[in-house]
Amino acid sequence: RHELAAWTARQQDPRPVREELMIRLRASAVLDGPSPEPELRRHLRLHLQQLQTYLDLKEQTFPPGPPHRASQLQLAVLEAGITFERAWIAWAEETLEALQP
């Protein structure tokens, strides 16, 4: 518990996003090769599934109303995941729309 408490108190800078799909999209633009749409659509489906998993978990784990003090941080982490998935989904949908002729 002592080591865990010390670890949680340490500072850490944000890490840059390193997503292989983004590199593939850039490479596809340079190569003018196969369309990245199928892979982008597959990732979109996976992110939609993950969002639903998070939303289900929130509904099952956290009753409506303000969370108890003990679960506020757990809910905050879950909300971060939900926000991330929603942002990724919005980006993917916008990108797919932009790729349409």
Side-chain angles (χ1 to χ4, degrees):
R1 292 185 70 82
H2 175 73
E3 287 297 318
L4 184 58
W7 177 74
T8 60
R10 283 188 213 128
Q11 291 184 347
Q12 178 181 342
D13 293 337
R15 293 183 179 163
V17 175
R18 298 194 192 279
E19 175 64 49
E20 186 174 332
L21 179 63
M22 302 304 162
I23 298 167
R24 288 173 185 235
L25 292 176
R26 300 264 328 241
S28 181
V30 171
L31 297 174
D32 196 28
S35 172
E37 277 188 64
E39 184 65 357
L40 189 52
R41 288 188 189 286
R42 187 179 77 81
H43 276 254
L44 176 57
R45 284 191 306 274
L46 293 172
H47 282 278
L48 285 165
Q49 290 171 356
Q50 187 62 54
L51 174 60
Q52 191 58 55
T53 297
Y54 287 160
L55 293 172
D56 291 345
L57 182 61
K58 181 180 176 182
E59 183 180 327
Q60 295 164 8
T61 308
F62 300 97
H68 296 286
R69 177 82 174 126
S71 61
Q72 284 178 328
L73 291 176
Q74 292 175 350
L75 179 57
V77 171
L78 183 56
E79 289 289 358
I82 291 169
T83 299
F84 171 82
E85 295 302 335
R86 285 182 172 152
W88 204 99
I89 290 164
W91 169 84
E93 290 173 341
E94 290 171 10
T95 302
L96 284 166
E97 186 176 318
L99 292 175
Q100 297 306 307

